[in-house]
Amino acid sequence: MRNPPLSLYIHIPWCVQKCPYCDFNSHGLKSDLPEKEYVAHLLDDLAIDAKRVGNRQVETIFIGGGTPSLFSADAMAAILEGVKARINLAPNAEITMEANPGTVEAGKFAGFYQAGVNRISVGIQSFQPHHLKVLGRIHNELQAENAVKQAHSAGLPTFNLDLMHGLPEQSVENAMVDLQQGIALNPYHLSWYQLTIEPNTPFYSRPPELPDDDILWEIQQRGHEILEAAGYHQYEISGYAKHGHQCQHNLNYWRFGDYLGIGCGAHGKITDAKKGTIHRTVKVKHPRGYMEISRPYLDTQTQVAEDDLPFEFFMNRFRLVEPCPIDDFSSFTGLTLPKDVDTALADAQQQGLLRLSPSHWQVTDKGRRYLNSLLSCFV
């Protein structure tokens, strides 16, 4: 067993208003943003977590939310300077920050870039007024386009657009209009997600009418063809990128890498190769509780059971288009391939969901379409 690459996730929990489809740990802002106080707690949280990984190098950082772009460039600089003082950060680390077009005034991306952020992920979701309203987004089409223009003019070496499809009452043609509009803005990376209804959201209690499976499949097929023709190559289920612009942070997740998670409700995964263990951590969820000095930041810590490791490994690894080196299984789980897993792999191959070679496992096109069926082989 060996320690996999290490990343850092930083959670900023506030947003202007919570979207009805969102099940992330986000909280509508009801008063002034406690920037300085929260930054201080983030860095204290990191100082504690840093002891768990020693001098292991952190390869990527992702600042998510909520809406991190509500924070000022000065606050972002304070976070990143504090991070560098507390962990061994790779000199060329990818540092991504999520942004909402409705919270980005002129020049703000340039300030974030100067603070040390070198990749922005702009949450557009749709350009169309009807769908923006249904999704609870606070921006409009013009703000979305202006945010992308800012990302280009700020000199960022790379940036991403988030778009959604399978929206309420959406047709195939309508979905393609959104996608073509996103491509026309020439981002380096496009995350193209299908809307799913998650528990504990307004959409779950009052479900909107979504396109049926045939429409969803046609949207995915036509969208994939359009993206590939425009030079965006699929490297994971929802990720398309121009050459050399894949999100390295997300790749580390899907390759079963490690990550520290700091901030309200942040999740972490830490391997201790010497002890042969993998632990998952969750931080205190609510901002008020997280920022109570008397309360520790860690809410729960659990060791991943040996019986759960194969499914956890494949659930992540099989999201990727790239073949999976068979040796990674033992290297990152510490397990010899169990007999029942070997049987499941053979079964998945027989169903046309996987291709097996002496050195790699490769998810097929059919396997990507029926990913849940593929993963069910390992339950």
Side-chain angles (χ1 to χ4, degrees):
M1 187 178 193
R2 61 186 172 91
N3 290 331
L6 177 65
S7 293
L8 169 64
Y9 175 75
I10 301 173
H11 193 72
I12 309 288
W14 294 282
C15 51
V16 175
Q17 67 180 29
K18 194 169 176 72
C19 300
Y21 60 86
C22 177
D23 69 334
F24 295 146
N25 182 33
S26 57
H27 303 264
L29 193 61
K30 296 176 182 177
S31 58
D32 292 339
L33 198 60
E35 275 192 349
K36 288 185 179 178
E37 183 183 3
Y38 191 68
V39 169
H41 283 285
L42 281 177
L43 296 178
D44 285 347
D45 189 0
L46 178 59
I48 295 168
D49 266 13
K51 297 173 185 175
R52 301 171 60 90
V53 296
N55 200 42
R56 287 175 63 185
Q57 189 171 76
V58 170
E59 307 292 340
T60 68
I61 297 175
F62 195 100
I63 305 166
T67 306
S69 54
L70 285 170
F71 270 37
S72 66
D74 286 344
M76 211 55 65
I79 291 171
L80 294 177
E81 287 167 9
V83 165
K84 291 172 185 175
R86 288 162 177 78
I87 60 172
N88 177 18
L89 183 64
N92 59 344
E94 175 193 85
I95 302 175
T96 303
M97 189 196 79
E98 291 183 331
N100 186 323
T103 63
V104 181
E105 66 269 14
K108 206 169 184 182
F109 281 172
F112 290 138
Y113 184 32
Q114 191 172 4
V117 173
N118 54 31
R119 185 177 185 273
I120 295 281
S121 183
V122 187
I124 289 174
Q125 317 312 353
S126 176
F127 293 97
Q128 300 171 50
H130 168 69
H131 283 132
L132 288 170
K133 183 177 180 180
V134 170
L135 294 172
R137 305 299 290 170
I138 64 169
H139 67 271
N140 57 37
E141 178 184 357
L142 182 60
Q143 288 172 314
E145 291 178 350
N146 285 339
V148 178
K149 288 176 184 176
Q150 262 203 65
H152 278 297
S153 63
L156 287 158
T158 192
F159 67 89
N160 169 64
L161 299 189
D162 267 358
L163 288 176
M164 299 177 79
H165 63 274
L167 304 180
E169 302 176 15
Q170 188 174 47
S171 67
V172 176
E173 291 71 21
N174 181 269
M176 296 307 103
V177 168
D178 256 351
L179 187 56
Q180 293 279 25
Q181 198 162 348
I183 290 170
L185 293 172
N186 197 29
Y188 299 97
H189 185 289
L190 254 164
S191 296
W192 197 48
Y193 299 97
Q194 181 182 321
L195 173 64
T196 55
I197 306 299
E198 303 292 347
N200 303 315
T201 65
F203 272 5
Y204 187 79
S205 56
R206 297 182 298 280
E209 186 177 344
L210 300 181
D212 63 32
D213 288 345
D214 288 340
I215 292 175
L216 289 173
W217 178 240
E218 190 174 349
I219 286 173
Q220 290 169 17
Q221 285 291 92
R222 285 181 55 181
H224 176 80
E225 291 169 4
I226 288 170
L227 284 159
E228 290 281 342
Y232 295 92
H233 301 298
Q234 186 180 29
Y235 68 99
E236 60 108 354
I237 291 294
S238 304
Y240 289 80
K242 292 185 176 181
H243 180 71
H245 290 276
Q246 295 92 337
C247 177
Q248 298 303 311
H249 187 88
N250 284 350
L251 277 173
N252 192 41
Y253 283 157
W254 310 138
R255 289 170 177 162
F256 209 53
D258 279 355
Y259 47 96
L260 296 171
I262 63 169
C264 301
H267 289 237
K269 170 188 171 283
I270 301 299
T271 301
D272 187 331
K274 289 182 179 178
K275 295 181 180 178
T277 59
I278 298 174
H279 282 88
R280 293 196 177 274
T281 60
V282 183
K283 300 301 172 62
V284 172
K285 187 172 183 179
H286 199 279
R288 189 164 52 248
Y290 180 84
M291 292 191 288
E292 284 178 3
I293 296 174
S294 61
R295 186 171 182 173
Y297 303 110
L298 185 65
D299 186 34
T300 62
Q301 174 178 291
T302 55
Q303 182 175 331
V304 181
E306 187 173 300
D307 288 347
D308 294 333
L309 277 171
F311 180 74
E312 288 212 12
F313 178 85
F314 292 123
M315 180 179 64
N316 286 278
R317 201 56 180 77
F318 285 166
R319 285 184 61 99
L320 293 174
V321 172
E322 68 182 23
C324 172
I326 292 175
D327 289 347
D328 280 4
F329 180 83
S330 295
S331 294
F332 294 159
T333 67
L335 302 176
T336 303
L337 197 66
K339 236 179 216 184
D340 59 337
V341 173
D342 204 25
T343 301
L345 289 163
D347 184 38
Q349 182 182 36
Q350 189 173 17
Q351 294 180 53
L353 305 172
L354 273 183
R355 282 194 299 272
L356 309 183
S357 77
S359 60
H360 289 81
W361 300 310
Q362 172 73 68
V363 181
T364 63
D365 289 343
K366 181 180 178 182
R368 282 194 290 279
R369 180 179 180 182
Y370 298 108
L371 183 61
N372 288 338
S373 297
L374 171 57
L375 294 177
S376 70
C377 295
F378 304 94
V379 175

